[in-house]
């Protein structure tokens, strides 16, 4: 959590709202000044560095010819008035090279992207929370199938338009957290999701928060990517599966290193 000039005002604002809602960010993509899409993202801090995390296909998606050159996130800027916000523009390329990082594993591309943010460029009164490495699941942690989860984001761009807050959807862990589903770098969630949720954090409440969790008593399990469907589904007779891909959040250790 960043430090602000008026700590008492910040504390007063936070007492009215759950910290998890201030960890998510609404993402807009642009091609120069032309708006393209809406998506979700969240803040992740490592040491003194701050990153925005979202889905890779939000910043680049060749199959749909989606080639934005910048994104914009919405930031709260007044600890006394959560209805005040400002847009913060982030270029995706510098000297024709991408400023965002993504990764590969043995199964191919990972649908996660991180962009380092310049803390000094953020508004001095910016109000947000950030996950850290302490929020990532430890290999010894037991996360059972069927566990209750939350997906925090902006489905179809829907949100609290007055206070600029995301909404949460309930989800359940739908595949073994200890096994990469079909060998891919993701697990499955059972949740009702929509376009615009891409890049949202998938979290689980921790039973006993540790001091290193700070104001976020949540475990960051994954990054929501997309709905999963079956190509043989009869669109008239069969409902959608309601299953989603969530990429394991431990990829952030690699993408934020160095």
């Amino acid at each position: 959590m960043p430090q602000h000039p008026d700590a008492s005002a910040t504390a007063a604002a936070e007492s009215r709202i759950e910290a998890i809602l201030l960890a998510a960010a609404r993402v807009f993509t642009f091609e120069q000044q032309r708006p393209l899409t809406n998506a979700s993202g969240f803040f992740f801090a490592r040491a003194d560095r701050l990153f925005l995390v979202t889905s890779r296909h939000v910043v680049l998606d060749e199959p749909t010819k989606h080639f934005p050159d910048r994104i914009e996130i919405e930031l709260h800027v007044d600890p006394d008035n959560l209805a005040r916000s400002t847009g913060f523009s982030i270029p995706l390329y510098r000297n024709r090279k991408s400023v965002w990082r993504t990764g590969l594993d043995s199964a191919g591309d990972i649908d996660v992207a991180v962009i380092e943010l310049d803390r000094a460029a953020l508004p001095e009164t910016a109000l947000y929370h950030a996950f850290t490495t302490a929020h990532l699941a430890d290999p010894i942690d037991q996360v059972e199938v069927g566990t209750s989860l939350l997906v925090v984001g902006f489905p179809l761009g829907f949100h609290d338009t007055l206070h600029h807050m995301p909404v949460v959807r309930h989800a359940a862990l739908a595949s073994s957290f200890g096994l990469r589903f079909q060998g891919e770098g993701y697990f499955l969630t059972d949740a009702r999701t929509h376009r615009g949720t891409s890049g949202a954090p998938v979290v689980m409440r921790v039973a006993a928060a540790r001091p290193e969790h700070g104001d976020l008593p949540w475990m960051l399990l994954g990054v929501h990517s997309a709905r999963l469907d079956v190509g043989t589904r009869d669109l008239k007779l069969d409902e959608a599966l309601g299953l989603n891909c969530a990429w394991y959040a431990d990829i952030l250790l690699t993408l934020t290193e160095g």
Side-chain angles (χ1 to χ4, degrees), residues 2-129:
Q3 297 297 313
H4 304 297
D6 188 346
S8 62
T10 299
E14 292 178 333
S15 68
R16 302 193 302 269
I17 183 172
E18 295 90 339
I20 189 69
L21 299 179
L22 287 169
R26 190 179 179 200
V27 179
F28 307 85
T29 65
F30 292 86
E31 182 182 12
Q32 296 184 8
Q33 298 303 313
R34 184 168 70 94
L36 298 177
T37 61
N38 298 324
S40 301
F42 60 92
F43 299 105
F44 184 82
R46 189 166 187 180
D48 60 347
R49 302 167 69 196
L50 180 67
F51 300 87
L52 176 74
V53 182
T54 189
S55 294
R56 179 187 183 274
H57 73 261
V58 170
V59 297
L60 176 67
D61 190 32
E62 295 95 336
T64 62
K65 301 187 185 306
H66 176 64
F67 303 113
D69 54 27
R70 71 180 179 93
I71 62 173
E72 189 173 292
I73 59 175
E74 195 168 24
L75 291 171
H76 291 87
V77 292
D78 188 343
D80 289 321
N81 183 2
L82 294 174
R84 287 193 60 200
S85 70
T86 188
F88 183 76
S89 185
I90 306 167
L92 294 177
Y93 297 89
R94 186 175 296 114
N95 298 325
R96 298 187 178 182
K97 293 184 178 180
S98 63
V99 300
W100 44 271
R101 301 179 183 181
T102 189
L104 295 170
D105 67 8
S106 57
D109 289 333
I110 294 174
D111 193 23
V112 176
V114 302
I115 304 170
E116 185 165 5
L117 304 178
D118 181 359
R119 285 184 185 268
L122 298 178
E124 288 187 4
T125 55
L127 185 64
Y128 63 89
H129 283 271

Side-chain angles (χ1 to χ4, degrees), residues 116-174:
E116 185 165 5
L117 304 178
D118 181 359
R119 285 184 185 268
L122 298 178
E124 288 187 4
T125 55
L127 185 64
Y128 63 89
H129 283 271
F131 295 100
T132 68
T133 56
H135 294 93
L136 301 178
D138 190 278
I140 65 173
D141 290 325
Q142 295 294 318
V143 185
E144 296 182 351
V145 65
T147 294
S148 178
L149 310 173
L150 291 183
V151 182
V152 189
F154 301 83
L156 298 179
F158 184 80
H159 64 296
D160 180 343
T161 56
L162 174 60
H163 302 105
H164 314 284
M165 292 293 176
V167 296
V168 303
R169 302 306 299 253
H170 284 283
L173 182 60

